[in-house]
Amino acid sequence: MVQKVLGRPKKFNRDVGLAAAIEVFWQKGYNGASLDDLTQAMGINRPSLYATYGNKEKLYLEALSEYGKIFGSAQLAVFESAKDPKSAVQAYFYEILKSQTRLGDCAQGCLMSSCAATTVEEVEGVSEILTNGAELLISTVEKRFDEFKNTKQLPSDFPSKAKAKLILDILQGFAYRSRIGIDRQILLDDIDEKVIQVIT
């Protein structure tokens, strides 16, 4: 008689599961994303979701934080590494639109602007994540603009903080237009106009 050897169960990859949850929340929002949607996308059952992430709210907060690390950090790195103000703002807006207007069957817009902002009063902790993200963006951009001022690439009276806030406002507009399905190329064609608004 041949004994059946049971293989070791495939180990759940927490990071892969979190990435799948990000996509579900990005596409459907917090309220629109059911536990069935999440577990199916993540490849786990409900008990495993609770054991790994706590509950839906905690999974959502972790997804928002991870989204900020994946997309926000990479986009700011592009801005910081550019050699002049114009190319910095151009590259930054391009990276933003690249994530907001992903091709294929993907959610559009920005998870933070399109989805998270609507749950500030509903899920404790969202407001802090959004506030920290906005403050990081403004402070990082302001600092880089000040560096450009020090190297005479921007005038000494250039309002670094006000322009950093303007970039944040422009991002929200891009996110809204991306979410409602404005053609990707139209948005990309608008970048140069937005760059002029920022650096002049």
Side-chain angles (χ1 to χ4, degrees):
M1 177 176 164
V2 178
Q3 284 187 321
K4 189 174 181 180
V5 179
L6 296 177
R8 179 178 295 179
K10 186 176 180 181
K11 186 176 181 182
F12 173 68
N13 186 313
R14 194 181 193 285
D15 293 336
V16 172
L18 185 58
I22 288 173
E23 293 294 335
V24 174
F25 286 129
W26 197 344
Q27 185 173 23
K28 298 192 173 186
Y30 176 73
N31 290 319
S34 69
L35 285 174
D36 285 342
D37 292 329
L38 290 164
T39 54
Q40 182 176 354
M42 297 165 74
I44 56 176
N45 55 32
R46 292 192 185 196
S48 295
L49 185 151
Y50 293 134
T52 305
Y53 302 99
N55 56 31
K56 182 182 175 182
E57 284 191 5
K58 290 180 180 178
L59 172 61
Y60 181 58
L61 292 174
E62 191 170 341
L64 295 182
S65 296
E66 185 67 12
Y67 174 90
K69 292 175 186 175
I70 293 172
F71 293 98
S73 299
Q75 292 157 357
L76 284 176
V78 168
F79 183 89
E80 290 181 289
S81 63
K83 301 301 182 183
D84 62 82
K86 182 178 179 179
S87 60
V89 180
Q90 280 179 326
Y92 185 61
F93 284 156
Y94 177 77
E95 287 299 315
I96 289 292
L97 287 177
K98 190 166 71 173
S99 69
Q100 291 184 358
T101 59
R102 298 174 301 161
L103 302 179
D105 186 22
C106 301
Q108 304 293 300
C110 171
L111 175 61
M112 298 298 195
S113 301
S114 304
C115 304
T118 65
T119 58
V120 167
E121 300 296 331
E122 186 174 358
V123 181
E124 185 176 354
V126 171
S127 179
E128 182 180 357
I129 291 173
L130 293 177
T131 299
N132 289 342
E135 290 177 349
L136 175 62
L137 187 158
I138 291 170
S139 63
T140 301
V141 172
E142 179 186 10
K143 179 182 177 182
R144 188 65 178 129
F145 279 153
D146 284 342
E147 291 171 352
F148 287 134
K149 288 163 67 174
N150 291 335
T151 57
K152 311 301 183 183
Q153 293 175 279
L154 285 173
S156 59
D157 61 349
F158 184 84
S160 299
K161 189 167 188 176
K163 293 295 189 173
K165 290 179 180 179
L166 176 60
I167 284 181
L168 178 61
D169 292 340
I170 290 172
L171 297 187
Q172 305 315 304
F174 274 143
Y176 174 79
R177 295 171 71 202
S178 299
R179 190 71 176 184
I180 63 175
I182 300 298
D183 185 77
R184 186 174 197 254
Q185 191 57 52
I186 291 176
L187 297 175
L188 291 172
D189 289 343
D190 286 344
I191 286 180
D192 286 344
E193 177 188 342
K194 302 304 181 185
V195 171
I196 292 172
Q197 292 178 21
V198 172
I199 65 174
T200 58

